[in-house]
Amino acid sequence: MDRTDFIDRLRQIVGERGLLEGDEVSSRYPGYFMEKVESRLMVRPASTDEVSEVLRLCNEQDQSVVTQGGMSGWVRATQTEADDLILSMERMNGIEELDTVNRTVVVQAGVVLQSLQESLEEQGLIFPLDLGGRGSCQVGGNAATNAGGIRVIRYGMMRSLVLGLEAVMADGTVISSMNKMLKNNSGYDIKQLFLGSEGTLGVITRLVLRLFEQPSSENAAMVALRDFDSVARFLRFMDSRLGGKLSAFEVLDASFYGINTGPGRERPPIEGDYPFYVITEALGFDSTIDDPQFERVLMAALEEGIIADAVVPKSQTERHAIWQLRENLEHVVSDLQPFQAFDVSMPVGDMESYMQAVTARFKASWPDGKLCFLGHVGDGNLHIAVGCGSNAAGARREVEHCVYEPLASIGGSISAEHGIGLEKKDFLSLSRTREELELMQLLKRCMDPRGILNPGKVFDLTR
Amino acid sequence: MDRTDFIDRLRQIVGERGLLEGDEVSSRYPGYFMEKVESRLMVRPASTDEVSEVLRLCNEQDQSVVTQGGMSGWVRATQTEADDLILSMERMNGIEELDTVNRTVVVQAGVVLQSLQESLEEQGLIFPLDLGGRGSCQVGGNAATNAGGIRVIRYGMMRSLVLGLEAVMADGTVISSMNKMLKNNSGYDIKQLFLGSEGTLGVITRLVLRLFEQPSSENAAMVALRDFDSVARFLRFMDSRLGGKLSAFEVLDASFYGINTGPGRERPPIEGDYPFYVITEALGFDSTIDDPQFERVLMAALEEGIIADAVVPKSQTERHAIWQLRENLEHVVSDLQPFQAFDVSMPVGDMESYMQAVTARFKASWPDGKLCFLGHVGDGNLHIAVGCGSNAAGARREVEHCVYEPLASIGGSISAEHGIGLEKKDFLSLSRTREELELMQLLKRCMDPRGILNPGKVFDLTR
């Protein structure tokens, strides 16, 4: 089949509205996307059947397919080459069925996370996944990348929130595994294959998501700590007193805190210099109980000397200001320009020595370079912002070695939540054994024998 | 290699203590095991290396291998034929590393669940999986069957509690995926393949398990309700007031309640006849707050007319007595003799019509037969006890049709937590699509090409 026939056939499947070519494709992408968009051919299917027909055709024609959701990942997992076909999920954005008794919602993969969140507000229910890209990311992409975010400590990652899904395999076979129950042990849990595999094993088209009751009380605090041991102690202290209510436990090191509270920036909520700050949050269902309990627990932590200082915001505005200290990345990006960001994880007990090892190694090469750490300590997840002063490929690569290599000996992960994509695949063997990588390759070959789905992402096929 | 050489080779691998033959094997199994034990050859490896060598040899020799843990499953997933080799995990029962900072424990697969639970008591930590078989089941078996139990509503099933694992594939390859972090998106999450696949894709040898803070407050109540709608409303009512603290929500129908509170049995804690009873439990960290809150919430449910009556036990003895009404299965087994037990799940909103459909169909065939329902409503999980009056194979099979067939149209599962084994495989297609079953077969062929691991369990290979 020549290219014209192929495109005609695609048009027959997805209709005139469903096919974009040439500049229509490239003009859709604003410049700030990390991903290169070389492809000049996009299909926008409106149904699972259309996805299935598109894939069957592509598989016959050995046509590579890159599925795109909100394009807000950070690892170039949706980057395209000139000869790739883009499969955009944007038209499959329906919320199909909300079941308030079973507390599940059936959605198409292209639903934007924030739209879903907002659609639930009146029901007293929440879909608890939340992350910075909420306004653009799609739930299908959240599933394909096993997204995390700030409330994993309480609600788990996307993998725990997806009860069922429908996916289309490379040959067009539709796998409908739309389970709605928390408990279902009827054979292999095959949805797990598609979760977190970054579009390399199938295209997720629909999902059953687990919903939770909307909490009605919210408490937060910013806390200063004298050392990292205290951070780890404070985590267990909070969790052993607030239990199921603890929903966030975010650490900021002095460097990050200093950047965001610098002259003309946010007002520092805590005076004095400390090596670590923590923003912690609890969500509950009765503020008459939860508010005084939260303050009492913080007071006890102060009295026991676990924390050095604490500030509890008294209004939504004050609470927002404290979260801004964590979520505003604008100053760190500008101060550390050219900027590199990392997302790694490790056992909590290894975090301090890891931060020291990375800092020492980095400073040995770039004495004037800057780096800072922040992260979801409760999940073992550190984000690292680095500015070595150079944007040269060699320097950037050397920084990557600085950050990733110390992970190997402590069983850490080169990607806590962002995935591998193209960005990290050269380092994957630091976090995974040869046998694991071979098993991944075996799965890929068995589920996508012609290798049409997102080729070259996560790992390269050997042989 | 003839049989004698094969056994000699096994003995070289696992040592004299590690090999049992003939009556040594069969004498180890008390009569009450559901499983037939026809095999007369068992290896008891003491290390992952030994498991690996055993499997490599068996794979070369096309020798089928059935891995056995505590043998306390309910679906004959560890049953053996005369020519199977039993691989017992009982000697791999070490707790290797407890990390109280990261709140993880590394264990060998043969550790008995209750031993693990008890070993954590002094640390203020819990491993929250709990089920009736705790005294005999092994954590490796819990993982291989994705065990559930009574606290899934709060802590999730085994799949959510396993952070990492090591497994040996059919050809002896050791897959070490001993992740210790809540967040790790570095490539495919291959541990998911081994969780819940009932020993058909690999032998789990070691695990990293997630631990939680030990709650210090415990509240429970037995509640009577006027209809099933109220049960569903009461679940949301409790969850929206106790949020992260709700840990159990167990329903008993009038029939089950009646059997356990019959003459000479437990004292009925609630007088009067109701169609449903619920035992609910909340675990928290401050009884000065939690106890009055729990009572206040129950009082509100009474005042709003959601529940008809409630009893709150005032002592550990009273609490135990209430749980006995749910956990004591002795009377139901004797009253319904010959007894059949089922474990199914479905969306909560479909439970009532499902119970009605099963009852109507059952009573049409056996007007004098007895059946009763109990279950973990919060998880969509119903257990059904049936006594049709006959133990004939045909009658038993007809009861199975009664229970399983109404699941197909509501997207229910023939196995909520027990798995498939041999017991349910004839019905698997009621809960899974043809495409799902074909994908399971594809995985099995790709990971165990000679089909030596627990052959014939979960499904039969076609062609």
Side-chain angles (χ1 to χ4, degrees), chain A residues 137-445:
Chain A
C137 65
Q138 298 173 4
V139 292
N142 295 149
T145 59
N146 186 29
I150 57 169
R151 286 173 178 162
V152 169
I153 189 175
R154 170 146 177 190
Y155 295 104
M157 296 185 77
M158 190 66 174
R159 191 180 296 279
S160 317
L161 302 172
V162 175
L163 296 178
L165 59 73
E166 175 189 80
V168 184
M169 293 183 64
D171 66 0
T173 302
V174 178
I175 303 288
S176 178
S177 206
M178 296 288 277
N179 166 63
K180 294 182 177 174
M181 288 81 73
L182 291 190
K183 281 182 173 169
N184 184 350
N185 276 342
S186 57
Y188 302 169
D189 190 4
I190 54 182
K191 70 171 179 289
Q192 304 294 345
L193 291 162
F194 304 101
L195 295 167
S197 58
E198 304 185 29
T200 61
L201 296 180
V203 176
I204 297 170
T205 47
R206 292 162 72 228
L207 300 126
V208 184
L209 303 174
R210 182 179 180 188
L211 305 176
F212 290 79
E213 299 296 330
Q214 167 78 60
S216 55
S217 83
E218 186 178 341
N219 281 282
M222 166 146 260
V223 165
L225 302 105
R226 295 186 190 85
D227 49 42
F228 192 82
D229 272 356
S230 301
V231 174
R233 270 181 74 200
F234 184 51
L235 172 60
R236 278 204 63 180
F237 186 87
M238 292 297 278
D239 214 11
S240 65
R241 275 145 187 91
L242 299 176
K245 288 190 274 197
L246 194 70
S247 52
F249 193 93
E250 303 282 308
V251 75
L252 288 56
D253 77 347
S255 169
F256 185 83
Y257 183 83
I259 288 169
N260 269 358
T261 57
R265 295 176 178 173
E266 310 283 339
R267 194 184 59 78
I270 291 178
E271 294 299 329
D273 292 330
Y274 297 94
F276 296 103
Y277 301 82
V278 164
I279 299 175
T280 184
E281 180 195 73
L283 299 174
F285 293 88
D286 187 341
S287 59
T288 63
I289 292 176
D290 299 332
D291 301 0
Q293 183 188 21
F294 190 80
E295 292 209 24
R296 218 162 43 236
V297 169
L298 281 181
M299 194 59 71
L302 265 172
E303 282 164 11
E304 291 192 26
I306 299 171
I307 61 177
D309 204 350
V311 173
V312 176
K314 288 295 169 201
S315 65
Q316 194 59 45
T317 313
E318 285 181 29
R319 190 179 302 129
H320 180 74
I322 279 191
W323 272 110
Q324 270 301 100
L325 286 175
R326 160 70 179 84
E327 294 194 334
N328 186 351
L329 302 178
E330 186 190 320
H331 304 307
V332 73
V333 170
S334 69
D335 285 16
L336 271 55
Q337 207 54 247
F339 174 77
Q340 283 175 272
F342 297 93
D343 157 55
V344 298
S345 63
M346 69 216 67
V348 176
D350 293 313
M351 275 191 174
E352 185 174 24
S353 60
Y354 170 77
M355 290 188 278
Q356 289 165 350
V358 171
T359 304
R361 188 162 161 175
F362 176 74
K363 289 286 187 183
S365 296
W366 295 282
D368 301 325
K370 291 178 188 162
L371 83 171
C372 51
F373 297 89
L374 65 160
H376 321 286
V377 174
D379 316 326
N381 183 186
L382 280 182
H383 294 299
I384 312 172
V386 185
C388 73
S390 163
N391 208 14
R396 292 181 72 86
R397 178 51 63 124
E398 202 179 324
V399 171
E400 290 173 355
H401 283 278
C402 269
V403 169
Y404 292 137
E405 281 171 7
L407 292 167
S409 62
I410 55 174
S413 168
I414 61 164
S415 185
E417 52 184 9
H418 292 171
I420 300 298
L422 291 175
E423 190 69 18
K424 301 191 178 185
K425 73 176 179 176
D426 293 347
F427 295 94
L428 187 54
S429 62
L430 287 173
S431 288
R432 306 301 291 263
T433 63
R434 185 173 55 81
E435 292 80 9
E436 286 184 291
L437 296 170
E438 283 172 2
L439 180 51
M440 290 181 209
Q441 298 222 3
L442 181 68
L443 290 171
K444 172 72 175 173
R445 280 181 225 278

Side-chain angles (χ1 to χ4, degrees), chain B residues 445-462:
Chain B
R445 281 181 223 279
C446 125
M447 292 178 64
D448 177 18
R450 289 167 172 248
I452 66 160
L453 294 174
N454 216 6
K457 309 296 164 51
V458 188
F459 51 78
D460 288 309
L461 286 167
T462 53

